[in-house]
Amino acid sequence: MLRKLVAGRYGAEGLALINEGVALHLIRERGMGGLQAAGVVKQFAYSFGLSRSRVSLKDFQAFNAALVRLCRSGRSAALIKPHAVPASPCAKASS
């Protein structure tokens, strides 16, 4: 879709709806130019989901505490920065 947009197959004022992080990754990976963001349709956040039947409460608490430490230290933001995904605000550890 992005290649078609760059090639003008959607017209001079063509538009494509795509996840911004995915678009930025593809643009960078494939060396595409001449594209710009036109606006935001919906903002959302990524999250983790763990199955209670496979992850114990103790393991969940350790995992969550590690995520909070990574966030507060700035390490998680640094890890995702090259992927153009905005960092979420740090949450409190929960049990």
Side-chain angles (χ1 to χ4, degrees):
M1 176 178 61
L2 291 178
R3 285 192 304 254
K4 289 179 183 180
L5 189 60
V6 169
R9 291 183 55 193
Y10 299 127
E13 295 185 34
L15 182 69
L17 183 62
I18 187 171
N19 175 287
E20 184 180 21
V22 172
L24 292 171
H25 170 76
L26 292 171
I27 290 167
R28 186 173 42 251
E29 182 182 88
R30 297 181 180 163
M32 294 181 205
L35 297 174
Q36 66 182 30
V40 175
V41 173
K42 181 179 180 181
Q43 291 186 341
F44 60 93
Y46 294 98
S47 59
F48 290 96
L50 302 174
S51 171
R52 290 182 183 181
S53 66
R54 304 189 104 204
V55 179
S56 69
L57 178 60
K58 181 181 175 185
D59 288 342
F60 159 73
Q61 290 171 330
F63 179 77
N64 197 55
L67 287 178
V68 170
R69 282 193 305 275
L70 286 171
C71 187
R72 290 187 180 154
S73 72
R75 182 72 178 132
S76 59
L79 289 169
I80 64 173
K81 186 176 182 178
H83 304 287
V85 176
S88 296
C90 298
K92 295 179 184 178
S94 61
S95 52

mmCIF file of all heavy atoms in Angstrom, residues 48 62-72 76 90-91:
data_model
loop_
_atom_site.group_PDB
_atom_site.id
_atom_site.type_symbol
_atom_site.label_atom_id
_atom_site.label_comp_id
_atom_site.label_asym_id
_atom_site.label_seq_id
_atom_site.Cartn_x
_atom_site.Cartn_y
_atom_site.Cartn_z
ATOM 1 N N PHE A 48 0.575 -5.857 27.671
ATOM 2 C CA PHE A 48 0.847 -7.286 27.770
ATOM 3 C C PHE A 48 -0.381 -7.984 28.343
ATOM 4 O O PHE A 48 -1.074 -7.434 29.193
ATOM 5 C CB PHE A 48 2.017 -7.569 28.729
ATOM 6 C CG PHE A 48 3.341 -7.132 28.210
ATOM 7 C CD1 PHE A 48 3.875 -5.906 28.571
ATOM 8 C CD2 PHE A 48 4.058 -7.948 27.354
ATOM 9 C CE1 PHE A 48 5.104 -5.503 28.098
ATOM 10 C CE2 PHE A 48 5.284 -7.547 26.867
ATOM 11 C CZ PHE A 48 5.809 -6.323 27.243
ATOM 12 N N ALA A 62 6.674 -10.531 39.616
ATOM 13 C CA ALA A 62 8.080 -10.315 39.254
ATOM 14 C C ALA A 62 8.187 -9.675 37.873
ATOM 15 O O ALA A 62 8.983 -8.746 37.664
ATOM 16 C CB ALA A 62 8.831 -11.642 39.291
ATOM 17 N N PHE A 63 7.393 -10.158 36.923
ATOM 18 C CA PHE A 63 7.390 -9.610 35.561
ATOM 19 C C PHE A 63 6.951 -8.147 35.590
ATOM 20 O O PHE A 63 7.594 -7.273 35.000
ATOM 21 C CB PHE A 63 6.446 -10.442 34.688
ATOM 22 C CG PHE A 63 6.340 -9.970 33.266
ATOM 23 C CD1 PHE A 63 7.341 -10.246 32.349
ATOM 24 C CD2 PHE A 63 5.221 -9.275 32.845
ATOM 25 C CE1 PHE A 63 7.238 -9.822 31.041
ATOM 26 C CE2 PHE A 63 5.105 -8.847 31.531
ATOM 27 C CZ PHE A 63 6.128 -9.115 30.619
ATOM 28 N N ASN A 64 5.875 -7.860 36.289
ATOM 29 C CA ASN A 64 5.355 -6.502 36.366
ATOM 30 C C ASN A 64 6.354 -5.563 37.039
ATOM 31 O O ASN A 64 6.578 -4.438 36.572
ATOM 32 C CB ASN A 64 4.018 -6.485 37.105
ATOM 33 C CG ASN A 64 3.263 -5.209 36.866
ATOM 34 O OD1 ASN A 64 3.017 -4.846 35.723
ATOM 35 N ND2 ASN A 64 2.892 -4.530 37.938
ATOM 36 N N ALA A 65 6.976 -6.022 38.107
ATOM 37 C CA ALA A 65 7.969 -5.204 38.810
ATOM 38 C C ALA A 65 9.158 -4.902 37.890
ATOM 39 O O ALA A 65 9.681 -3.782 37.890
ATOM 40 C CB ALA A 65 8.433 -5.905 40.086
ATOM 41 N N ALA A 66 9.566 -5.886 37.100
ATOM 42 C CA ALA A 66 10.673 -5.674 36.159
ATOM 43 C C ALA A 66 10.290 -4.641 35.101
ATOM 44 O O ALA A 66 11.094 -3.771 34.738
ATOM 45 C CB ALA A 66 11.073 -6.990 35.504
ATOM 46 N N LEU A 67 9.048 -4.712 34.606
ATOM 47 C CA LEU A 67 8.590 -3.717 33.620
ATOM 48 C C LEU A 67 8.581 -2.316 34.219
ATOM 49 O O LEU A 67 8.996 -1.352 33.570
ATOM 50 C CB LEU A 67 7.191 -4.074 33.112
ATOM 51 C CG LEU A 67 7.082 -5.250 32.164
ATOM 52 C CD1 LEU A 67 5.615 -5.502 31.802
ATOM 53 C CD2 LEU A 67 7.902 -5.034 30.912
ATOM 54 N N VAL A 68 8.127 -2.200 35.455
ATOM 55 C CA VAL A 68 8.102 -0.894 36.117
ATOM 56 C C VAL A 68 9.522 -0.360 36.279
ATOM 57 O O VAL A 68 9.790 0.815 36.007
ATOM 58 C CB VAL A 68 7.358 -0.980 37.471
ATOM 59 C CG1 VAL A 68 7.541 0.299 38.288
ATOM 60 C CG2 VAL A 68 5.881 -1.260 37.245
ATOM 61 N N ARG A 69 10.462 -1.219 36.682
ATOM 62 C CA ARG A 69 11.862 -0.790 36.826
ATOM 63 C C ARG A 69 12.434 -0.331 35.487
ATOM 64 O O ARG A 69 13.110 0.693 35.413
ATOM 65 C CB ARG A 69 12.723 -1.924 37.391
ATOM 66 C CG ARG A 69 12.579 -2.130 38.877
ATOM 67 C CD ARG A 69 13.657 -3.044 39.452
ATOM 68 N NE ARG A 69 13.733 -4.339 38.796
ATOM 69 C CZ ARG A 69 12.985 -5.397 39.092
ATOM 70 N NH1 ARG A 69 12.093 -5.323 40.058
ATOM 71 N NH2 ARG A 69 13.135 -6.535 38.435
ATOM 72 N N LEU A 70 12.159 -1.090 34.421
ATOM 73 C CA LEU A 70 12.645 -0.708 33.092
ATOM 74 C C LEU A 70 12.065 0.636 32.657
ATOM 75 O O LEU A 70 12.767 1.469 32.078
ATOM 76 C CB LEU A 70 12.288 -1.783 32.061
ATOM 77 C CG LEU A 70 13.102 -3.060 32.106
ATOM 78 C CD1 LEU A 70 12.487 -4.117 31.188
ATOM 79 C CD2 LEU A 70 14.543 -2.785 31.701
ATOM 80 N N CYS A 71 10.808 0.850 32.948
ATOM 81 C CA CYS A 71 10.156 2.096 32.576
ATOM 82 C C CYS A 71 10.757 3.265 33.355
ATOM 83 O O CYS A 71 11.155 4.273 32.768
ATOM 84 C CB CYS A 71 8.650 2.003 32.820
ATOM 85 S SG CYS A 71 7.739 3.426 32.206
ATOM 86 N N ARG A 72 10.829 3.133 34.649
ATOM 87 C CA ARG A 72 11.320 4.230 35.495
ATOM 88 C C ARG A 72 12.784 4.562 35.235
ATOM 89 O O ARG A 72 13.193 5.706 35.395
ATOM 90 C CB ARG A 72 11.102 3.888 36.960
ATOM 91 C CG ARG A 72 9.629 3.917 37.322
ATOM 92 C CD ARG A 72 9.406 3.748 38.790
ATOM 93 N NE ARG A 72 7.967 3.785 39.069
ATOM 94 C CZ ARG A 72 7.406 3.213 40.100
ATOM 95 N NH1 ARG A 72 8.128 2.560 40.981
ATOM 96 N NH2 ARG A 72 6.095 3.290 40.264
ATOM 97 N N SER A 76 13.138 1.064 28.944
ATOM 98 C CA SER A 76 12.107 0.607 28.000
ATOM 99 C C SER A 76 11.892 1.641 26.902
ATOM 100 O O SER A 76 11.750 1.286 25.730
ATOM 101 C CB SER A 76 10.796 0.276 28.721
ATOM 102 O OG SER A 76 10.302 1.400 29.410
ATOM 103 N N CYS A 90 4.950 5.541 32.849
ATOM 104 C CA CYS A 90 5.241 4.455 33.791
ATOM 105 C C CYS A 90 4.061 4.266 34.731
ATOM 106 O O CYS A 90 3.538 5.227 35.283
ATOM 107 C CB CYS A 90 6.498 4.752 34.590
ATOM 108 S SG CYS A 90 7.973 4.882 33.570
ATOM 109 N N ALA A 91 3.664 3.030 34.914
ATOM 110 C CA ALA A 91 2.568 2.689 35.814
ATOM 111 C C ALA A 91 3.132 2.204 37.136
ATOM 112 O O ALA A 91 4.286 1.789 37.225
ATOM 113 C CB ALA A 91 1.690 1.611 35.193
#
